[in-house]
């Protein structure tokens, strides 16, 4: 089959194994996406729990380096988006055929080969797993924050209002075990809509509370050097963690090709997607600056790690409670939106590997007194085990900022920098040691060094918190 022929899927499956795909083929769908639907998809994916750590991140590096770091990572992400948009249609000079890459993993496999595709898949699946862990930790701290907020309101701000995180992680895990039995991502549209609304709601609450605090104090807290109460060594590690948190907030390159595959033409999907990426990344960066700056301006050296759960804000307690409830609702839906992709890939791989296995066959209920339902043993066992694993890791390392920094440092460089640049070299036939090649190599190495710095800092933070 020619790569440009999409009517027969048999050889397409051979070229793109299930574990290197992230979305079903949609060649025959009536595409209706526009630049504004693409912007909506990107912003919805971007604005998540990472936004809550940005005030703390700016507090570690100060008023100059903090905003500049946000702008720099926004620029890196925009460059990556442009490279990825170009690879949607790839012409292979070896056989003269064209491939439509509908997912990030498929693009890496098609352009850079199976080994690179496999390496990318490992990082990609780790990215999904770490998102589950981060969402488990964040939801638990938000549920605990609601209890603490009510306690402080009733007993005073100096009351010993302490609650255990593991209890709330267990509650979140039970909800996710039930929600994970939803058959596939096509049944989670309502969860995605709720998650998007909630993410904007709690972000605006954080910005509003920060601005209100600044107005009430009548001054802007903070300095150009960041928090002044840390020693030199501790300062280095905290700066590393702060940059890792910023990297986590900007990591969404892996969804761009899937969004691009929904766009109608003319104009070409590439042109539309580049315009949408520019608008979405610019909007997200401005939004991040507002969130981070308002929080640091309100609290200065006392800026909490998580803006809505660190209790810089005590009143109005009902608004703090509402903001944290929005976080929990967002993360319940967001967890499923991310993990349903992984569930589908693994279950599809198992079904193709063991086509005769009854373990992957639906079992219908036979009890006449209850509504008919279908139970899939593979779905029940694998998805339950997956949720329990994310919950266990969250309980072992329940440290919001350090876990965000670790996750951001692990996935940012390979998914946002390395693979897009390497695919650009192949797509554009960039000559080694040419001016463009040298500039992009320096760019890649610089980002790698920054990533190593943040990784070491996040690991130090995790070890210190866990064993220190």
């Amino acid at each position: 089959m020619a790569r440009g022929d999409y009517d027969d899927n048999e050889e397409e499956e051979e070229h793109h194994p299930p574990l290197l795909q992230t979305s079903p083929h949609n060649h025959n769908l009536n595409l209706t996406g526009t630049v504004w639907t693409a912007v909506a998809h990107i912003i919805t994916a971007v604005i998540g729990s990472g936004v809550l750590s940005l005030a703390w991140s700016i507090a570690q590096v100060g008023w100059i380096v903090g905003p500049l770091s946000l702008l720099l990572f926004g620029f890196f992400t925009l460059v990556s988006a442009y490279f990825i948009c170009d690879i949607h249609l790839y012409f292979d000079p070896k056989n003269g055929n064209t491939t439509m890459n509908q997912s990030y993993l498929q693009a890496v496999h098609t352009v850079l080969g199976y080994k690179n595709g496999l390496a990318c898949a490992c990082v990609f699946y780790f990215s999904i797993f770490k998102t589950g862990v981060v969402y488990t930790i964040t939801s638990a701290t938000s549920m605990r924050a609601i209890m603490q907020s009510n306690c402080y309101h009733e007993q005073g701000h100096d009351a010993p209002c302490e609650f255990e995180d593991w209890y709330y992680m267990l509650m979140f895990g039970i909800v996710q075990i039930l929600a994970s039995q939803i058959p596939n991502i096509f049944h989670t549209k309502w969860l995605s809509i709720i998650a998007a609304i909630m993410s904007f709601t709690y972000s605006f609450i954080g910005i509003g509370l920060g601005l209100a605090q600044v107005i009430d104090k009548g001054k802007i807290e903070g300095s150009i050097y960041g928090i002044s109460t840390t020693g030199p060594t501790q300062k280095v590690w905290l700066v590393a963690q702060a940059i890792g948190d910023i990297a986590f907030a900007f990591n969404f390159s892996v969804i761009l090709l899937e969004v691009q595959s929904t766009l109608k033409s003319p104009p070409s999907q590439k042109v539309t997607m580049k315009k949408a990426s520019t608008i979405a990344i610019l909007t997200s960066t401005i939004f991040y600056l507002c969130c981070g700056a308002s929080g640091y301006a309100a609290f200065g050296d006392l800026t909490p790690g998580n803006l809505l759960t660190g209790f810089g804000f005590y009143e109005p307690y009902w608004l703090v409670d509402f903001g944290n409830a929005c976080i929990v609702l967002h993360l319940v839906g967001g967890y499923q939106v991310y993990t349903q992709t992984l569930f589908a890939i693994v279950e599809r791989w198992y079904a193709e590997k063991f086509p005769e296995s009854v373990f992957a066959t639906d079992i219908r209920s036979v009890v006449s007194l209850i509504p008919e339902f279908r139970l899939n043993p593979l779905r029940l066992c694998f998805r339950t085990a997956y949720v329990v694993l994310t919950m266990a890791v969250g309980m072992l390392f329940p440290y919001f900022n350090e876990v965000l920094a670790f996750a951001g440092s692990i996935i940012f460089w390979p998914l946002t920098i390395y693979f897009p640049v390497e695919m650009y070299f192949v797509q554009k036939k960039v000559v080694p040691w040419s001016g463009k090649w040298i500039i992009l190599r320096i760019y890649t190495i610089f980002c790698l060094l920054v990533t190593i710095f943040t990784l070491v800092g996040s690991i130090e933070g995790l070890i210190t918190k866990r064993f220190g």
Side-chain angles (χ1 to χ4, degrees), residues 48-61 66 70 242-250 284-285 287-293 295-296 303-307 400-401 404:
S49 59
V51 73
L52 299 170
S53 70
L54 294 179
W56 179 86
S57 298
I58 292 179
Q60 307 312 311
V61 295
L70 285 168
I243 295 175
D245 285 359
I246 293 172
F248 178 87
F250 275 101
S284 301
T285 304
F287 193 76
Y288 283 174
L289 285 169
C290 292
C291 287
Y296 185 41
T303 302
N306 182 322
L307 194 58
F400 178 73
N401 295 100
L404 250 64

Side-chain angles (χ1 to χ4, degrees), residues 76-77 79-85 87 104 108 111-112 120 253-254 412-427 440 443-444:
F76 290 163
T77 307
V79 171
S80 172
Y82 271 52
F83 288 169
I84 294 171
C85 292
I87 213 70
Y104 189 94
V108 174
V111 180
L112 301 180
C120 181
S253 300
V254 293
F412 181 80
W413 183 78
L415 296 183
T416 305
I417 306 299
Y418 176 75
F419 287 119
V421 169
E422 294 301 315
M423 288 191 288
Y424 179 82
F425 283 158
V426 175
Q427 171 85 334
L440 288 176
Y443 165 72
T444 303

Side-chain angles (χ1 to χ4, degrees), residues 222-278:
S223 73
I224 62 173
Y225 304 108
I227 292 178
S228 58
T229 57
T230 56
T233 302
Q234 186 185 13
K235 182 75 171 180
V236 170
W237 297 132
L238 290 175
V239 167
Q241 293 169 29
I243 295 175
D245 285 359
I246 293 172
F248 178 87
F250 275 101
N251 187 62
F252 61 95
S253 300
V254 293
I255 71 165
L256 293 179
L257 286 176
E258 293 180 324
V259 174
Q260 190 168 342
S261 297
T262 68
L263 301 177
K264 65 182 179 181
S265 59
S268 70
Q269 292 176 314
K270 179 172 69 174
V271 171
T272 303
M273 196 61 199
K274 286 185 176 181
K275 182 178 180 181
S277 298
T278 303

Side-chain angles (χ1 to χ4, degrees), residues 277-357:
S277 298
T278 303
I279 296 171
I281 293 171
L282 181 61
T283 303
S284 301
T285 304
I286 293 173
F287 193 76
Y288 283 174
L289 285 169
C290 292
C291 287
S294 63
Y296 185 41
F299 301 112
D301 285 359
L302 301 178
T303 302
N306 182 322
L307 194 58
L308 286 180
T309 64
F311 287 97
F313 304 117
Y314 290 97
E315 301 293 342
Y317 82 98
W318 58 268
L319 187 58
V320 176
D321 286 355
F322 180 66
N324 281 296
C326 289
I327 294 173
V328 175
L329 287 174
H330 168 222
L331 300 184
V332 167
Y335 187 105
Q336 287 301 313
V337 170
Y338 275 97
T339 56
Q340 282 288 341
T341 299
L342 179 60
F343 293 158
I345 293 170
V346 173
E347 290 165 11
R348 179 181 166 212
W349 170 83
Y350 183 90
E352 293 184 1
K353 189 75 172 179
F354 308 100
E356 304 299 325
S357 175

Side-chain angles (χ1 to χ4, degrees), residues 6 9 12-13 16-29 31 88 100-106 124-125 184-187 257-262 337 340-345 348 352:
Y6 299 106
N9 285 333
E12 186 71 14
E13 296 301 327
H16 304 288
L19 291 176
L20 296 182
Q21 292 181 329
T22 58
S23 63
H25 300 297
N26 63 355
H27 317 297
N28 299 320
L29 295 179
L31 303 180
H88 185 235
M100 178 182 288
N101 294 307
Q102 298 186 88
S103 74
Y104 189 94
L105 290 186
Q106 182 185 354
F124 179 82
Y125 296 139
N184 53 56
I185 197 169
F186 300 106
H187 294 82
L257 286 176
E258 293 180 324
V259 174
Q260 190 168 342
S261 297
T262 68
V337 170
Q340 282 288 341
T341 299
L342 179 60
F343 293 158
I345 293 170
R348 179 181 166 212
E352 293 184 1

Side-chain angles (χ1 to χ4, degrees), residues 68 328 461 467:
L68 284 178
V328 175
F467 304 107

